[in-house]
Amino acid sequence: MSTVLITGASSGIGEECAKLFSKRGYDLLLVARNEKRLLEIKEKIKENNNIYCLAIDLTLNDGPQKVYEYCKKNNIEVSVLINNAGYGDFGEFLESDLDNYQKMITLNDIALVSLTHLFGKDMKERKSGHIINVASIAGFMPGPYMAVYYASKAFVLNFTIAINQEFKPYNIHTTTICPGPIRTPFWQRAGVSMNNFKDNHLARSPKQVANCILKAYDHKKVLVVDGFMNKVLVFFSKFISKKTLAKFTGSFQNSLTEK
């Protein structure tokens, strides 16, 4: 049975993707730091398929390699890789520790590239596979007060579209999903109150984004922006200067901070 590997699977989009792909009959490999939460999700899913849980910190340099070695040791063939793990941090760039930014880049970008490379080679040999990288509408614009996060998602966006062209001869499909704000613990970790999303028209639920991912997978889409309002925002951002966009996103970020 084909296996779907999902990083950041302990909550939010990752958890919802696990439920959806499990219903399709796929085996699952759920990867996150929180083993307790992974096991809880495994218990919630009552489908007749194999569910593996692997507690790994992907901010560590050897994290992706350990995931790959675990698959080899347990004869797990990954046919779908969903690189969902990531985090952001709100505040002035110079006010946060450099170590925090390095970990963010490692998780959001380096781990994603490493897993794509490791499992992509196996997919190339089999001449089949699908890699789904979760970016963000943040990847289309500069983001004051979350500058490193926005830049990290621009990397994911452009990297995924580029390798899609390279992977075509090997029947490997890549998809980058670009959601806007999502009602998940991501924002709590970033220092933004969840209450500020109550009436925000851009905000979506993890389940909505997971459904978008499944639809993009079915139709082998290369780039998908989740949500109508987010599509509108991305469309108009193409006609606005980066300087003006930076002012807009900076104001937007400030409107979401805790009062």
Side-chain angles (χ1 to χ4, degrees):
M1 175 60 69
S2 297
T3 301
V4 180
L5 191 169
I6 306 171
T7 67
S10 60
S11 63
I13 299 171
E15 179 180 355
E16 294 300 328
C17 281
K19 295 175 184 176
L20 290 177
F21 278 92
S22 182
K23 287 181 180 178
R24 288 280 185 94
Y26 286 95
D27 288 342
L28 302 176
L29 172 54
L30 308 180
V31 177
R33 292 184 303 172
N34 192 331
E35 185 176 28
K36 181 181 178 182
R37 276 293 297 143
L38 291 177
L39 293 174
E40 288 174 354
I41 292 168
K42 179 179 179 178
E43 287 300 311
K44 287 181 183 178
I45 298 174
K46 301 299 182 182
E47 308 297 333
N48 295 319
N49 53 339
N50 296 314
I51 302 178
Y52 307 91
C53 297
L54 181 60
I56 289 283
D57 185 352
L58 291 175
T59 65
L60 302 178
N61 290 332
D62 61 350
Q65 184 65 39
K66 286 183 176 179
V67 174
Y68 184 72
E69 291 172 357
Y70 176 87
C71 290
K72 290 300 182 183
K73 181 180 178 181
N74 292 278
N75 296 313
I76 298 172
E77 183 178 289
V78 174
S79 60
V80 182
L81 168 62
I82 302 178
N83 284 308
N84 168 65
Y87 80 95
D89 190 24
F90 183 88
E92 291 186 13
F93 173 71
L94 296 178
E95 293 303 312
S96 186
D97 295 332
L98 181 59
D99 180 64
N100 177 51
Y101 294 134
Q102 291 173 335
K103 286 182 178 179
M104 190 186 304
I105 294 169
T106 298
L107 181 60
N108 295 6
D109 296 331
I110 297 176
L112 179 146
V113 169
S114 298
L115 290 170
T116 298
H117 191 267
L118 290 165
F119 289 100
K121 283 193 169 184
D122 289 345
M123 293 176 181
K124 179 181 177 179
E125 288 185 9
R126 297 194 306 266
K127 293 290 192 291
S128 68
H130 200 132
I131 299 171
I132 301 170
N133 293 332
V134 179
S136 168
I137 61 170
F140 291 93
M141 57 197 77
Y145 308 110
M146 292 186 75
V148 175
Y149 173 76
Y150 273 58
S152 74
K153 291 304 181 179
F155 175 89
V156 174
L157 172 63
N158 288 286
F159 167 72
T160 309
I161 294 173
I163 61 173
N164 178 73
Q165 190 67 28
E166 295 183 28
F167 286 176
K168 282 183 178 180
Y170 312 116
N171 195 35
I172 304 171
H173 301 281
T174 67
T175 299
T176 181
I177 302 291
C178 297
I182 310 166
R183 300 178 184 91
T184 69
F186 167 93
W187 290 101
Q188 293 171 320
R189 181 173 184 178
V192 177
S193 173
M194 297 294 286
N195 292 330
N196 291 321
F197 288 102
K198 185 177 180 181
D199 300 315
N200 190 293
H201 297 298
L202 296 178
R204 304 268 285 172
S205 71
K207 187 173 183 179
Q208 287 174 311
V209 178
N211 276 308
C212 178
I213 288 173
L214 189 62
K215 186 176 180 180
Y217 168 74
D218 286 339
H219 296 283
K220 296 180 172 61
K221 297 288 187 180
V222 178
L223 169 62
V224 178
V225 177
D226 173 63
F228 175 76
M229 291 302 296
N230 292 318
K231 287 183 173 69
V232 171
L233 178 60
V234 168
F235 175 78
F236 282 107
S237 71
K238 298 175 183 178
F239 306 99
I240 303 173
S241 71
K242 295 294 185 183
K243 182 178 179 180
T244 301
L245 274 175
K247 291 180 180 179
F248 170 78
T249 54
S251 297
F252 175 74
Q253 305 288 35
N254 279 326
S255 72
L256 295 177
T257 57
E258 295 177 318
K259 304 301 181 182

